[in-house]
Short mmCIF file of all heavy atoms in Angstrom, two decimals:
data_model
loop_
_atom_site.label_atom_id
_atom_site.label_comp_id
_atom_site.label_asym_id
_atom_site.label_seq_id
_atom_site.Cartn_x
_atom_site.Cartn_y
_atom_site.Cartn_z
N SER A 1 58.37 -8.75 12.17
CA SER A 1 58.69 -7.35 12.48
C SER A 1 58.46 -6.51 11.18
O SER A 1 58.66 -7.00 10.11
CB SER A 1 60.02 -7.15 13.13
OG SER A 1 61.01 -7.46 12.20
N LEU A 2 58.18 -5.23 11.39
CA LEU A 2 57.71 -4.42 10.36
C LEU A 2 58.77 -4.25 9.17
O LEU A 2 58.36 -4.25 8.00
CB LEU A 2 57.30 -3.04 10.84
CG LEU A 2 56.43 -2.12 9.96
CD1 LEU A 2 55.22 -2.85 9.52
CD2 LEU A 2 56.09 -0.79 10.64
N LYS A 3 59.99 -4.12 9.56
CA LYS A 3 60.97 -3.91 8.45
C LYS A 3 61.10 -5.05 7.55
O LYS A 3 61.67 -4.91 6.44
CB LYS A 3 62.36 -3.65 9.15
CG LYS A 3 62.51 -2.27 9.74
CD LYS A 3 63.94 -2.00 10.21
CE LYS A 3 64.11 -0.62 10.78
NZ LYS A 3 65.48 -0.38 11.24
N GLU A 4 60.61 -6.19 7.80
CA GLU A 4 60.55 -7.31 6.94
C GLU A 4 59.73 -7.10 5.66
O GLU A 4 59.79 -7.81 4.70
CB GLU A 4 60.14 -8.62 7.63
CG GLU A 4 61.14 -9.01 8.76
CD GLU A 4 60.57 -9.99 9.73
OE1 GLU A 4 59.77 -10.90 9.31
OE2 GLU A 4 60.86 -9.93 10.86
N VAL A 5 58.78 -6.10 5.74
CA VAL A 5 57.90 -5.88 4.56
C VAL A 5 58.04 -4.51 4.00
O VAL A 5 57.62 -4.24 2.89
CB VAL A 5 56.45 -6.08 4.91
CG1 VAL A 5 56.11 -7.57 5.30
CG2 VAL A 5 56.00 -5.12 6.03
N VAL A 6 58.74 -3.59 4.68
CA VAL A 6 58.86 -2.18 4.23
C VAL A 6 59.75 -2.25 2.88
O VAL A 6 60.69 -2.88 2.80
CB VAL A 6 59.57 -1.27 5.23
CG1 VAL A 6 59.87 0.08 4.62
CG2 VAL A 6 58.62 -1.11 6.41
N ASN A 7 59.09 -1.54 1.85
CA ASN A 7 59.66 -1.50 0.53
C ASN A 7 59.23 -2.69 -0.33
O ASN A 7 59.86 -2.98 -1.37
CB ASN A 7 61.25 -1.30 0.50
CG ASN A 7 61.73 -0.94 -0.84
OD1 ASN A 7 61.24 -0.01 -1.54
ND2 ASN A 7 62.71 -1.62 -1.37
N THR A 8 58.34 -3.47 0.09
CA THR A 8 57.88 -4.67 -0.71
C THR A 8 56.39 -4.70 -0.88
O THR A 8 55.63 -3.92 -0.16
CB THR A 8 58.28 -5.99 0.03
OG1 THR A 8 57.35 -6.28 1.07
CG2 THR A 8 59.71 -5.93 0.56
N ASN A 9 55.94 -5.56 -1.75
CA ASN A 9 54.50 -5.77 -1.91
C ASN A 9 54.01 -6.96 -1.10
O ASN A 9 52.91 -7.57 -1.39
CB ASN A 9 54.20 -6.01 -3.43
CG ASN A 9 52.69 -5.75 -3.83
OD1 ASN A 9 52.14 -4.79 -3.37
ND2 ASN A 9 52.10 -6.80 -4.42
N LYS A 10 54.71 -7.36 -0.15
CA LYS A 10 54.34 -8.56 0.69
C LYS A 10 53.43 -8.21 1.83
O LYS A 10 53.42 -7.10 2.32
CB LYS A 10 55.56 -9.17 1.33
CG LYS A 10 56.59 -9.81 0.35
CD LYS A 10 57.76 -10.36 1.15
CE LYS A 10 58.79 -10.97 0.22
NZ LYS A 10 59.98 -11.48 0.95
N CYS A 11 52.59 -9.15 2.23
CA CYS A 11 51.93 -9.14 3.54
C CYS A 11 52.42 -10.37 4.29
O CYS A 11 52.34 -11.48 3.77
CB CYS A 11 50.39 -9.16 3.32
SG CYS A 11 49.54 -9.41 4.92
N LEU A 12 52.98 -10.13 5.46
CA LEU A 12 53.40 -11.28 6.28
C LEU A 12 52.35 -11.46 7.39
O LEU A 12 51.89 -10.50 7.93
CB LEU A 12 54.76 -11.06 6.92
CG LEU A 12 55.96 -10.96 5.99
CD1 LEU A 12 57.26 -10.93 6.85
CD2 LEU A 12 55.98 -12.14 5.02
N LEU A 13 52.01 -12.73 7.63
CA LEU A 13 51.05 -13.04 8.67
C LEU A 13 51.77 -13.99 9.70
O LEU A 13 52.51 -14.87 9.31
CB LEU A 13 49.82 -13.82 8.09
CG LEU A 13 49.02 -13.01 7.05
CD1 LEU A 13 47.96 -13.96 6.48
CD2 LEU A 13 48.36 -11.75 7.65
N HIS A 14 51.39 -13.79 10.96
CA HIS A 14 51.79 -14.75 12.01
C HIS A 14 50.56 -15.14 12.76
O HIS A 14 49.76 -14.20 13.09
CB HIS A 14 52.91 -14.14 12.88
CG HIS A 14 53.35 -15.09 13.95
ND1 HIS A 14 52.92 -15.01 15.24
CD2 HIS A 14 54.25 -16.13 13.90
CE1 HIS A 14 53.52 -15.95 15.94
NE2 HIS A 14 54.35 -16.67 15.14
N LEU A 15 50.48 -16.36 13.14
CA LEU A 15 49.38 -16.96 13.86
C LEU A 15 49.71 -17.56 15.12
O LEU A 15 50.71 -18.23 15.27
CB LEU A 15 48.67 -17.96 12.94
CG LEU A 15 48.32 -17.54 11.49
CD1 LEU A 15 48.03 -18.79 10.65
CD2 LEU A 15 47.12 -16.62 11.54
N ALA A 16 48.85 -17.32 16.19
CA ALA A 16 49.14 -17.96 17.50
C ALA A 16 47.80 -18.13 18.20
O ALA A 16 46.85 -17.41 17.94
CB ALA A 16 50.05 -17.04 18.31
N LYS A 17 47.65 -19.20 19.05
CA LYS A 17 46.51 -19.40 19.84
C LYS A 17 46.83 -19.15 21.30
O LYS A 17 47.85 -19.51 21.82
CB LYS A 17 45.98 -20.87 19.70
CG LYS A 17 45.18 -21.16 18.46
CD LYS A 17 43.83 -20.47 18.37
CE LYS A 17 42.82 -20.83 19.37
NZ LYS A 17 42.18 -22.10 19.27
N HIS A 18 45.89 -18.43 22.01
CA HIS A 18 46.04 -18.18 23.41
C HIS A 18 44.63 -18.59 24.04
O HIS A 18 43.70 -17.85 23.89
CB HIS A 18 46.31 -16.70 23.68
CG HIS A 18 47.67 -16.32 23.22
ND1 HIS A 18 48.88 -16.45 23.84
CD2 HIS A 18 48.01 -15.86 21.89
CE1 HIS A 18 49.85 -16.01 23.12
NE2 HIS A 18 49.39 -15.63 21.96
N ASN A 19 44.65 -19.73 24.62
CA ASN A 19 43.30 -20.34 25.11
C ASN A 19 42.36 -20.38 23.93
O ASN A 19 42.70 -20.96 22.94
CB ASN A 19 42.83 -19.54 26.30
CG ASN A 19 43.78 -19.54 27.48
OD1 ASN A 19 44.33 -20.63 27.79
ND2 ASN A 19 43.93 -18.42 28.15
N ASP A 20 41.20 -19.71 24.00
CA ASP A 20 40.30 -19.81 22.95
C ASP A 20 40.47 -18.71 21.85
O ASP A 20 39.76 -18.71 20.87
CB ASP A 20 38.85 -19.68 23.44
CG ASP A 20 38.33 -20.83 24.29
OD1 ASP A 20 38.97 -21.95 24.13
OD2 ASP A 20 37.49 -20.63 25.15
N TYR A 21 41.45 -17.88 22.05
CA TYR A 21 41.62 -16.76 21.17
C TYR A 21 42.72 -17.07 20.10
O TYR A 21 43.75 -17.53 20.41
CB TYR A 21 42.03 -15.48 21.94
CG TYR A 21 40.93 -14.87 22.65
CD1 TYR A 21 40.68 -15.09 24.01
CD2 TYR A 21 39.94 -14.10 21.97
CE1 TYR A 21 39.62 -14.54 24.73
CE2 TYR A 21 38.84 -13.47 22.67
CZ TYR A 21 38.73 -13.75 24.03
OH TYR A 21 37.62 -13.20 24.71
N LEU A 22 42.35 -16.69 18.86
CA LEU A 22 43.36 -16.69 17.73
C LEU A 22 43.86 -15.35 17.69
O LEU A 22 43.13 -14.31 17.42
CB LEU A 22 42.70 -17.14 16.44
CG LEU A 22 43.54 -16.99 15.15
CD1 LEU A 22 44.70 -17.90 15.27
CD2 LEU A 22 42.67 -17.32 13.91
N LEU A 23 45.20 -15.23 17.71
CA LEU A 23 45.89 -13.89 17.60
C LEU A 23 46.56 -13.90 16.16
O LEU A 23 47.34 -14.76 15.87
CB LEU A 23 46.94 -13.68 18.60
CG LEU A 23 47.91 -12.51 18.43
CD1 LEU A 23 47.13 -11.19 18.55
CD2 LEU A 23 48.99 -12.53 19.44
N ILE A 24 46.27 -12.91 15.35
CA ILE A 24 46.76 -12.77 14.01
C ILE A 24 47.56 -11.51 13.92
O ILE A 24 47.04 -10.43 14.33
CB ILE A 24 45.65 -12.74 12.91
CG1 ILE A 24 44.66 -13.95 13.15
CG2 ILE A 24 46.27 -12.76 11.53
CD1 ILE A 24 43.40 -13.73 12.36
N THR A 25 48.76 -11.55 13.54
CA THR A 25 49.60 -10.35 13.21
C THR A 25 49.72 -10.21 11.69
O THR A 25 50.07 -11.19 11.04
CB THR A 25 51.00 -10.44 13.85
OG1 THR A 25 50.80 -10.75 15.31
CG2 THR A 25 51.75 -9.20 13.69
N SER A 26 49.41 -9.02 11.23
CA SER A 26 49.47 -8.76 9.80
C SER A 26 50.24 -7.50 9.50
O SER A 26 49.97 -6.47 10.10
CB SER A 26 48.03 -8.58 9.29
OG SER A 26 47.98 -8.26 7.87
N ILE A 27 51.27 -7.60 8.69
CA ILE A 27 52.13 -6.42 8.44
C ILE A 27 52.31 -6.19 6.86
O ILE A 27 52.43 -7.13 6.14
CB ILE A 27 53.52 -6.47 9.03
CG1 ILE A 27 54.25 -7.80 8.65
CG2 ILE A 27 53.35 -6.54 10.62
CD1 ILE A 27 55.66 -7.86 9.19
N ILE A 28 52.22 -4.94 6.52
CA ILE A 28 52.36 -4.55 5.11
C ILE A 28 53.19 -3.21 5.05
O ILE A 28 53.18 -2.46 6.08
CB ILE A 28 51.12 -4.34 4.35
CG1 ILE A 28 50.22 -3.25 4.98
CG2 ILE A 28 50.29 -5.69 4.27
CD1 ILE A 28 49.04 -2.88 4.12
N ASP A 29 53.62 -2.82 3.92
CA ASP A 29 54.08 -1.48 3.64
C ASP A 29 52.85 -0.69 3.17
O ASP A 29 52.27 -1.11 2.11
CB ASP A 29 55.18 -1.42 2.52
CG ASP A 29 55.77 -0.05 2.30
OD1 ASP A 29 54.97 0.89 2.25
OD2 ASP A 29 56.94 0.07 2.19
#
């Protein structure tokens, strides 16, 4: 979730597969 990176220099990524599709979530400040 977004608040995990607000005020930081981090990028958090989360990866998931749904059938043939790769879903990538990417969050930054």
Side-chain angles (χ1 to χ4, degrees):
S1 63
L2 197 55
K3 285 186 177 181
E4 295 163 35
V5 295
V6 171
N7 194 50
T8 79
N9 198 53
K10 294 178 182 178
C11 172
L12 293 188
L13 300 174
H14 181 259
L15 307 164
K17 280 296 292 287
H18 297 270
N19 297 320
D20 291 336
Y21 286 99
L22 172 64
L23 172 64
I24 309 164
T25 306
S26 175
I27 57 173
I28 64 169
D29 184 318

